[in-house]
């Protein structure tokens, strides 16, 4: 049986084994007494037409993943509900169904000393509450919340105990970095 060895820098060798993860090994060598190595991990989302909509989502929602234009692209609206495909994907909606009523909303409840904001979350997204006292200038309110691809749908809660007499809120949802 052959083995995977990385004894050259021109090609990475792998050994494909049934029902096992495919690992990538990198060997680092230094003549110095000490050195630092940085490692960065990332996930790759397939997007054949590079329109910002994941291939799996486009296929599941009967969109052409080879065509980034018109109703198939991020600014398309095949169900004519006024919500673009990119927004429907970010918020977990169906671009083939008029589902304006499913648009997620922030719920607000009174708590001792202030209010509690709650917003539904989906996997693989970044959520950031923002607040404003005049609807003109917005500032981040609380820390951003990033959900992992393996996270189930849930809710994000944050309490505002600032005591301000009036404040406006909005939620910014983007793909997870």
């Amino acid at each position: 049986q052959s083995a995977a060895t990385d004894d050259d820098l021109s090609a990475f060798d792998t050994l494909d084994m049934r029902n096992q993860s495919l690992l990538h090994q990198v060997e680092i060598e230094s003549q110095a007494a000490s050195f630092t190595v940085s490692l960065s991990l990332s996930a790759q989302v397939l997007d054949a037409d590079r329109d910002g909509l994941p291939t799996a989502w486009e296929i599941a929602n009967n969109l052409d993943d080879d065509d980034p234009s018109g109703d198939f692209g991020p600014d398309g609206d095949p169900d004519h509900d006024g919500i673009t495909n990119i927004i429907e994907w970010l918020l977990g909606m169906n671009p083939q169904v008029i589902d304006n009523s499913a648009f997620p909303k922030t719920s607000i409840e009174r708590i001792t000393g202030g209010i509690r904001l709650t917003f539904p979350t989906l996997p693989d997204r970044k959520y950031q509450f923002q607040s404003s006292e005049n609807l003109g200038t917005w500032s981040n309110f609380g820390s951003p919340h990033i959900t992992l691809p393996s996270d189930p749908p849930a809710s994000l809660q944050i309490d505002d105990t600032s005591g301000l007499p009036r404040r406006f809120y909005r939620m910014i949802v983007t793909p997870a970095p």
Side-chain angles (χ1 to χ4, degrees), residues 86-87 89-91 103-106 117-122 124-132 135-147 156 158 168-177:
I86 193 76
I87 300 299
W89 168 68
L90 280 170
L91 300 178
F103 198 90
K105 297 168 184 64
T106 300
L117 306 168
T118 305
F119 192 84
T121 63
L122 294 171
D124 209 21
R125 307 286 192 275
K126 178 181 175 186
Y127 297 88
Q128 177 65 65
F129 272 112
Q130 292 188 331
S131 65
S132 173
L135 290 176
T137 305
W138 292 90
S139 301
N140 289 344
F141 182 71
S143 300
H145 179 75
I146 299 173
T147 57
L156 170 62
I158 189 167
F168 302 94
Y169 303 95
R170 69 181 179 185
M171 173 58 76
I172 304 297
V173 182
T174 56

Side-chain angles (χ1 to χ4, degrees), residues 54-81:
T55 294
W57 186 84
E58 288 191 82
I59 291 169
N61 289 284
N62 298 315
L63 299 176
D64 185 350
D65 191 44
D66 291 323
D67 184 356
S69 64
D71 277 346
F72 299 121
D75 297 324
D77 184 14
D79 56 8
H80 307 290
D81 63 359

Side-chain angles (χ1 to χ4, degrees), residues 6 140 160:
D6 265 339
N140 289 344
D160 183 356

